[in-house]
Amino acid sequence: MTTDQEAFDALIAAEQRIEPRDWMPDAYRKTLIRQISQHAHSEIIGMQPEGNWITRAPSLKRKAILMAKVQDEAGHGLYLYSAAQTLGITRDEMTEQLITGRAKYSSIFNYPTPTWADMGAIGWLVDGAAICNQVPLCRASYGPYGRAMVRICKEESFHQRQGFEILLTLMQGSPAQREMAQDAVNRWYWPSLMMFGPPDDESPNSAQSMAWKIKRFSNDELRQRFVGMLVPQAEVLGVTLPDPDLRWNEETERWDMSEIDWDEFKEVLAGRGPCNAERQRNRRTAHEDGAWVREAAAEYARKQALLPELVEGAA
Ligand code: FAQ
């Protein structure tokens, strides 16, 4: 007779999907809840840096595009919260973890967006990194997560292209516009490399997540792939990637690069990045301001549930 564990292992080995009603080890469930909820929180907090520019976008067309993009991120958060809920955690619990500062979300969203060029750099670099990281997650062993990622990745591809196009337009503009684009690339390049997580030898979750086929590539492998994608695109844009040591190493067939400032990464994760407090505060306020919407929706649902009885009573 096969045990639950053996059946689970066989599904993973056969590249089959684990679905919500299947038996799964507690640690697998816990890892998925951790990663999917952090991912959902990232999408929701990630609306803030760009939301900052909606009222100041340089044209109606740019404003419409930016609004659509920020709304897409909200949608991604919702798909991901729903995927996490299939594992037994409630939306309320996840929200509570986020607004009380107990949950992690991506370090990248704790950096400020002082200029319009930041919208270009976020699209190109942040969405670009997100795609690199998330395309392999479409094959994650947990069905609801993998399926959510398919649609998310399609939308992220459009986001990346719109960011690239903002930077291209600026790079074809005046010297001041070119300088603004380069400055934004300089500020977002290193934080975008940090999105892939700590180096492999300091990544406590990677080995197990890869064995469970949640992650398909290690943090460093994906970081390498991302840099390889950026180099030719930077040439087309005419921007310089701010790493004088960046070069292709024929022998190792890897990109040599300067050391990432992991102290900065740790500071941001510890809540001491440039915008951590502001992002948390805004999220908390938005949640409190939305209380009446939740109450109204719950009341509406209660009345809808009573409706058949009322109709019957009236008949
Ligand atoms: N920031 O052992 P590992 C987006 C944490 S969405 C903060 O390597 P793991 C779309 C990690 O959670 C961006 N924390 O962990 C968008 C773990 O913490 P824990 C979000 C980080 O899970 C664009 C600890 O460090 N994407 O950009 C970071 O195997 C534009 C040890 O690390 C995802 O969430 C970090 N950068 O690998 C939205 C993708 N890196 O819980 C708006 C899904 C690591 O043990 C605008 N997630 N940590 O205390 C993943 O692929 C993985 O979770 C990794 C980390 C690769 C992020």
Side-chain angles (χ1 to χ4, degrees):
M1 217 177 74
T2 41
T3 63
D4 286 339
Q5 180 73 52
E6 281 163 355
F8 172 86
D9 292 343
L11 281 175
I12 297 280
E15 296 282 330
Q16 302 265 329
R17 288 235 146 119
I18 307 298
E19 296 297 339
R21 289 195 185 84
D22 293 340
W23 181 91
M24 61 186 87
D26 284 346
Y28 177 80
R29 185 184 297 278
K30 223 170 128 196
T31 289
L32 281 166
I33 291 177
R34 177 185 67 77
Q35 176 164 329
I36 301 173
S37 64
Q38 286 177 3
H39 193 167
H41 298 325
S42 304
E43 302 279 358
I44 297 299
I45 295 280
M47 294 166 74
Q48 292 187 38
E50 287 165 293
N52 179 34
W53 275 91
I54 289 176
T55 54
R56 293 175 291 156
S59 70
L60 185 59
K61 187 175 134 201
R62 292 289 187 202
K63 188 185 180 105
I65 295 170
L66 190 60
M67 270 169 61
K69 179 187 189 293
V70 172
Q71 278 182 352
D72 283 352
E73 309 301 356
H76 299 174
L78 299 187
Y79 310 151
L80 289 163
Y81 282 131
S82 299
Q85 280 172 267
T86 64
L87 291 155
I89 187 167
T90 66
R91 178 83 179 271
D92 284 347
E93 283 171 284
M94 289 183 277
T95 303
E96 181 68 13
Q97 289 169 0
L98 179 62
I99 61 178
T100 54
R102 281 182 292 131
K104 283 199 174 84
Y105 58 84
S106 183
S107 51
I108 193 75
F109 302 116
N110 294 305
Y111 291 86
T113 46
T115 74
W116 171 251
D118 290 313
M119 300 305 97
I122 289 182
W124 183 45
L125 296 171
V126 177
D127 287 278
I131 295 167
C132 251
N133 166 260
Q134 291 172 23
V135 166
L137 290 174
C138 296
R139 293 192 293 121
S141 56
Y142 187 58
Y145 191 30
R147 287 189 290 272
M149 293 317 303
V150 173
R151 176 142 175 203
I152 292 179
C153 285
K154 284 187 183 153
E155 292 178 353
E156 300 293 25
S157 303
F158 152 71
H159 297 168
Q160 199 250 0
R161 290 178 71 117
Q162 68 85 41
F164 183 88
E165 202 262 335
I166 289 176
L167 288 179
L168 192 62
T169 305
L170 290 172
M171 289 306 289
Q172 289 167 350
S174 66
Q177 285 174 314
R178 283 200 291 277
E179 204 179 302
M180 187 165 76
Q182 181 63 57
D183 171 64
V185 170
N186 292 348
R187 284 182 289 105
W188 289 93
Y189 177 74
W190 291 107
S192 73
L193 295 188
M194 294 175 195
M195 287 174 70
F196 295 92
D200 291 349
D201 52 4
E202 291 173 35
S203 164
N205 302 300
S206 275
Q208 183 60 74
S209 282
M210 287 173 71
W212 277 326
K213 298 184 182 165
I214 299 171
K215 285 167 86 163
R216 296 288 180 152
F217 299 97
S218 76
N219 298 356
D220 287 329
E221 280 168 342
L222 290 174
R223 207 175 348 257
Q224 279 280 325
R225 189 181 283 201
F226 177 56
V227 170
M229 188 183 94
L230 289 184
V231 168
Q233 295 182 1
E235 263 176 48
V236 174
L237 285 173
V239 296
T240 309
L241 296 175
D243 180 0
D245 295 331
L246 182 63
R247 61 184 58 85
W248 178 249
N249 185 325
E250 290 287 349
E251 258 168 53
T252 59
E253 299 203 327
R254 290 175 69 81
W255 292 95
D256 288 338
M257 52 177 105
S258 311
E259 185 63 27
I260 293 175
D261 185 350
W262 293 115
D263 289 340
E264 175 182 319
F265 176 70
K266 285 178 193 146
E267 279 295 289
V268 176
L269 257 60
R272 293 186 290 269
C275 299
N276 292 57
E278 182 187 331
R279 303 291 186 238
Q280 282 286 344
R281 196 170 52 243
N282 287 343
R283 189 64 238 138
R284 254 196 320 274
T285 308
H287 185 70
E288 285 158 13
D289 289 350
W292 70 270
V293 180
R294 292 189 297 279
E295 280 162 24
E299 185 56 15
Y300 180 74
R302 191 184 68 80
K303 285 188 179 153
Q304 285 294 103
L306 285 178
L307 213 55
E309 281 173 39
L310 291 177
V311 172
E312 260 170 45

